[in-house]
Amino acid sequence: MPLLGVTDDFVLGLPVSAVLAQRFRLPSIDPAEFPEMLRIQIEKLLPFAADEVTTDFELIEQDESESVVSAVAIRNEQLAEMASPLLERGYIPRQITVYAAQRASTHAPTGNAVLIYPEGETLVYAVTENGKLSLARVFQDANGDQLQVELPQLRLSAELEGIDASSTSVLLDETCYEMRDAVQEILSSPTEIVGIELPPAPVKLNLLPESWRRRRLQLARQSEWRQRLLWIGGAYGGLVLLLLAYLGLLRFQVARLDRRIAHDAPGTEFVRATEAKWKALAPAIDTHYYPVEILLHVFESLPSADVRITAYNQSARQISVDGEANTAALAYQFIEKVKKNPDLRAFQFDMAAPRILPNNHAQFRLEGKAK
């Protein structure tokens, strides 16, 4: 059983002995109606139900009155048995044809021809018309006496089928070269030696069962999804690798920064200690913290002589001012002027509500904290 291809998308060529090939004359109708008519004709020739076989046809010629077609049928059970080594491994061919039809289309695409070639232990005699298989027989023995008997009978059968066998060319496979003289003498026609062709010419004939077509389509879709998943997995893996590379770069940069921080740590610590010392010394060396300066600016903020300072206290970071105003309004004016005084911006001032004395004067306490 030849395999006409070497990839998953291959064509399976069946031996002639495995199929039923028949030539039919049909009314000249639409080719779309041929399958149903041929099915009816083939049912008459088969000893089993039509739904157990797969059939296909090729149009040989057509005129206004009739159409000549070549029909081929094979039993599905037999086909599954022959293709079981492939099916068990998940391989379903793209096309199943007849090897004789493949060789006929390759070597004799036009006119009539007789093709003789070996298939295993047998010899195939095939008659072709316009590259289509019209009649095929299998010899179990290929000796000279057998040829003397079989070849004339097969030519007569072809003529009875309406095939013009008088002007056919004879094509003999190169492996049967020693039979050339005998065949040429019997058929009285020039005999041409042909070799095994690669790749063979395509043919329309396809005996792929419908269930196999659906399964092949299903496998193709599964393969597409697997391919997509592989692409997605590859893209995801690439993203993960990029992420890991990015994290590695971040860790490298963090480690480099840690080394630089450790290298600069003594200098940083010196700066921090110096800053703390300067902050501690600020009240003693910064004029904004001098008590005389602060007290002067407080007196400058008095709104009038009706507001008097009665007590003033100052620590390193905090001051308090006690006073008395003729009215509570004057006390509030005083606190507002203190807060707005630019020379007292180093402190944040707050004042509780003044306490009203029996003489209606307002006693207040102003507290300031260093910012």
Side-chain angles (χ1 to χ4, degrees), residues 102-357:
Q102 200 91 32
R103 300 201 69 174
S105 177
T106 302
H107 294 297
T110 59
N112 297 352
V114 173
L115 178 63
I116 302 175
Y117 69 94
E119 272 188 358
E121 301 297 326
T122 63
L123 190 68
V124 173
Y125 173 96
V127 179
T128 69
E129 296 178 273
N130 297 326
K132 312 299 189 300
L133 182 64
S134 294
L135 181 67
R137 295 292 185 269
V138 178
F139 297 154
Q140 295 298 328
D141 193 356
N143 58 45
D145 294 338
Q146 188 73 15
L147 290 176
Q148 289 285 352
V149 174
E150 297 291 349
L151 288 181
Q153 292 182 355
L154 290 173
R155 171 172 280 186
L156 178 60
S157 298
E159 292 177 350
L160 292 176
E161 291 285 342
I163 303 171
D164 183 8
S166 60
S167 60
T168 58
S169 59
V170 180
L171 306 176
L172 183 65
D173 188 87
E174 60 184 359
T175 58
C176 303
Y177 179 81
E178 69 280 359
M179 300 168 48
R180 179 177 182 177
D181 294 338
V183 171
Q184 188 167 287
E185 180 181 352
I186 295 171
L187 297 180
S188 301
S189 297
T191 301
E192 179 183 353
I193 301 297
V194 295
I196 298 177
E197 65 293 333
L198 284 175
V203 294
K204 171 186 172 294
L205 194 66
N206 192 359
L207 297 172
L208 189 68
E210 185 60 31
S211 60
W212 293 24
R213 295 176 193 267
R214 292 193 298 268
R215 178 57 180 166
R216 178 180 171 82
L217 180 61
Q218 182 182 8
L219 292 175
R221 289 175 178 173
Q222 291 177 355
S223 178
E224 290 177 2
W225 276 108
R226 282 195 297 268
Q227 190 68 23
R228 292 176 184 174
L229 290 176
L230 287 176
W231 278 106
I232 293 173
Y236 178 76
L239 289 175
V240 170
L241 289 177
L242 288 176
L243 179 60
L244 292 176
Y246 178 69
L247 291 177
L249 178 61
L250 288 180
R251 293 187 65 180
F252 173 76
Q253 292 179 342
V254 169
R256 186 176 63 176
L257 290 175
D258 288 340
R259 289 192 298 270
R260 293 183 62 182
I261 291 173
H263 179 267
D264 297 337
T268 304
E269 186 61 30
F270 172 77
V271 171
R272 288 177 179 174
T274 304
E275 182 184 12
K277 290 178 181 179
W278 279 109
K279 286 184 178 180
L281 293 172
I285 63 177
D286 191 347
T287 58
H288 291 93
Y289 293 96
Y290 288 176
V292 175
E293 292 289 334
I294 296 173
L295 188 57
L296 173 62
H297 298 316
V298 169
F299 272 97
E300 290 176 348
S301 301
L302 292 174
S304 68
D306 293 333
V307 180
R308 297 167 296 280
I309 303 299
T310 59
Y312 175 81
N313 296 293
Q314 182 176 352
S315 63
R317 291 289 177 179
Q318 188 172 353
I319 62 174
S320 64
V321 179
D322 293 330
E324 185 177 325
N326 288 355
T327 62
L330 289 172
Y332 283 114
Q333 289 179 18
F334 172 61
I335 183 60
E336 289 299 323
K337 292 189 70 174
V338 169
K339 288 181 178 180
K340 294 179 180 179
N341 192 316
D343 294 317
L344 297 174
R345 62 182 180 276
F347 293 90
Q348 181 178 354
F349 291 95
D350 292 300
M351 185 182 72
R355 185 169 65 89
I356 306 301
L357 300 176

